[in-house]
Amino acid sequence: MAVTISDVAKEAGVSTSTVSKVLNNWSSISPATCERVHEAIKKLHYTPNARAVSFAKGASHNILFLSSLKKEEAYRNPHMFDILCGVRRTLAEHGYTLMLTDFPDTAEPQEYLTGLIGKGLADGILIHGSCSFPQLSRLLTESRFPHIHIGHPGPGSRMCWIDTNNGLAGQFAAQHMLECGYEKVAFIGERRTDHISTQRLNGFLGGMYDYGYRVPDEYIRYTDSTREDACRQTHEVLSLPVPPRAFICENNTLALGVVKALHERQLHIPGEAAFLTFDSYPYSSIIDPTPTVIDIDVYDLGVQAAQMLLRKLENPTLLVQAYTTLPVLRQGLSTVPAF
């Protein structure tokens, strides 16, 4: 029976991921541990398999795409599939295959990712933002494994990443509302801890401020990310002594709640109350009236991510940290531009 990497790990008294790190020359492994692993390899006459050898030469022509694939993930993360489609097409055009893998529920996700890298399954990895964890940046930078993180990983990260500019999208929303003549605008957002919602809110506030308008604190509403809470928050803000004339909804789900409240108040849209939302999916097609949308082409985001990773494979020292894929205004019937 052929000797496996597990046999080597057992002989050396280390984990299989440590053996993989030694085989791939990770600098984080101590000299003593490296020596022990190499002694076990020599004693057992272990030879890495052909796939691992191919990986070492950078010739597997396969890319990993790591994402959360839990039940009902499509509802929680409706844009992931479009990103994946953009990635697949671009990689296929350059002769690469794509391997989709789930992110497991484990106390030490770094061990799982280390194992994936060490198995030599791929030349590089694309990591969806839904799979971030605290040790991710250190793991990828220490291993020097070609990667692109899709989504901003946070300030100070040394990872390679690309993201859409949600702050700019918020500025676009503010500019459009003011161009329509709506000066009293409320923002219905997700939880205070939601990163994308915060970016869009800050962009909106900054955009309003640039044109000389300050948004009252009571116009900024956080929700538990449900349609019902968005409806409740909209009723509350409409009950203020000076209610807003228009609403910016952080996503489609919240827009459904805002529209429900406007209908319950029998307010004509957009004559008496206007609104816009971000992103075309998943509910914009069923919202009545058809909403004005600040949209991001996430398929293009996938294309850009794949192209950046291919550049990284050609130049391993390349540091990619960039916003890409500009937001686009799609005019609907929920706002009326002033002409």
Side-chain angles (χ1 to χ4, degrees):
M1 183 178 294
V3 177
T4 67
I5 194 171
S6 296
D7 296 326
V8 174
K10 184 177 180 180
E11 177 67 27
V14 297
S15 66
T16 55
S17 62
T18 298
V19 176
S20 295
K21 291 177 180 179
V22 172
L23 291 172
N24 288 286
N25 299 314
W26 280 41
S27 59
S28 59
I29 306 300
S30 69
T33 300
C34 288
E35 182 178 354
R36 201 159 68 246
V37 170
H38 284 300
E39 286 177 355
I41 290 172
K42 184 177 180 180
K43 178 179 178 180
L44 299 176
H45 303 288
Y46 171 72
T47 302
N49 61 33
R51 184 181 288 272
V53 173
S54 178
F55 166 72
K57 295 179 179 179
S60 72
H61 289 283
N62 185 45
I63 299 296
L64 290 172
F65 189 101
L66 181 64
S67 181
S68 176
L69 300 173
K70 304 298 183 291
K71 184 179 180 181
E72 299 184 349
E73 188 67 29
Y75 297 98
R76 290 187 292 268
N77 184 14
H79 301 299
M80 194 270 285
F81 186 73
D82 268 353
I83 294 173
L84 186 62
C85 289
V87 167
R88 191 218 63 83
R89 190 202 76 180
T90 305
L91 293 179
E93 289 175 350
H94 291 82
Y96 282 82
T97 56
L98 181 66
M99 182 174 134
L100 180 64
T101 183
D102 191 12
F103 192 69
D105 291 321
T106 174
E108 296 186 357
Q110 66 272 20
E111 291 294 325
Y112 173 75
L113 186 53
T114 299
L116 282 180
I117 294 173
K119 288 176 182 176
L121 298 174
D123 299 332
I125 187 169
L126 291 160
I127 302 172
H128 189 267
S130 61
C131 293
S132 289
F133 57 90
Q135 302 87 357
L136 179 61
S137 179
R138 180 178 177 183
L139 189 156
L140 291 174
T141 52
E142 284 188 355
S143 68
R144 300 180 182 177
F145 191 67
H147 66 276
I148 296 291
H149 186 277
I150 301 175
H152 197 301
S157 175
R158 294 182 294 155
M159 282 192 292
C160 292
W161 58 266
I162 67 168
D163 195 11
T164 57
N165 195 329
N166 289 297
L168 183 61
Q171 293 178 35
F172 276 27
Q175 181 179 350
H176 176 72
M177 287 303 198
L178 292 174
E179 287 176 348
C180 291
Y182 309 132
E183 299 175 359
K184 297 180 176 63
V185 186
F187 186 95
I188 308 298
E190 293 208 61
R191 294 176 174 85
R192 292 176 183 270
T193 56
D194 185 87
H195 181 62
I196 293 177
S197 182
T198 299
Q199 287 182 316
R200 290 173 172 175
L201 171 60
N202 289 339
F204 160 65
L205 295 175
M208 296 293 286
Y209 183 81
D210 287 344
Y211 284 94
Y213 295 92
R214 180 187 174 277
V215 180
D217 292 342
E218 57 267 29
Y219 280 14
I220 302 170
R221 298 289 168 141
Y222 300 96
T223 70
D224 62 6
S225 303
T226 64
R227 180 184 65 172
E228 291 74 20
D229 200 24
C231 181
R232 181 180 66 82
Q233 295 285 356
T234 303
H235 275 298
E236 287 189 7
V237 77
L238 286 171
S239 299
L240 292 171
V242 181
R245 173 69 175 79
F247 293 83
I248 291 178
C249 313
E250 199 280 324
N251 61 40
N252 288 190
T253 300
L254 302 182
L256 286 170
V258 170
V259 171
K260 183 174 185 290
L262 297 180
H263 287 325
E264 289 174 350
R265 294 245 173 178
Q266 298 184 341
L267 294 173
H268 178 263
I269 304 171
E272 296 174 292
F275 75 94
L276 67 74
T277 184
F278 295 92
D279 307 325
S280 293
Y281 296 104
Y283 303 121
S284 63
S285 62
I286 65 172
I287 296 175
D288 184 28
T290 303
T292 297
V293 174
I294 303 294
D295 197 24
I296 300 291
D297 186 350
V298 291
Y299 181 92
D300 180 66
L301 179 62
V303 170
Q304 298 275 355
Q307 290 176 344
M308 292 293 187
L309 183 57
L310 292 173
R311 289 178 57 197
K312 181 72 174 174
L313 292 175
E314 293 177 358
N315 181 8
T317 62
L318 180 68
L319 179 63
V320 178
Q321 293 185 335
Y323 289 110
T324 184
T325 308
L326 292 175
V328 176
L329 175 73
R330 303 193 187 282
Q331 181 66 54
L333 301 177
S334 65
T335 61
V336 178
F339 295 105

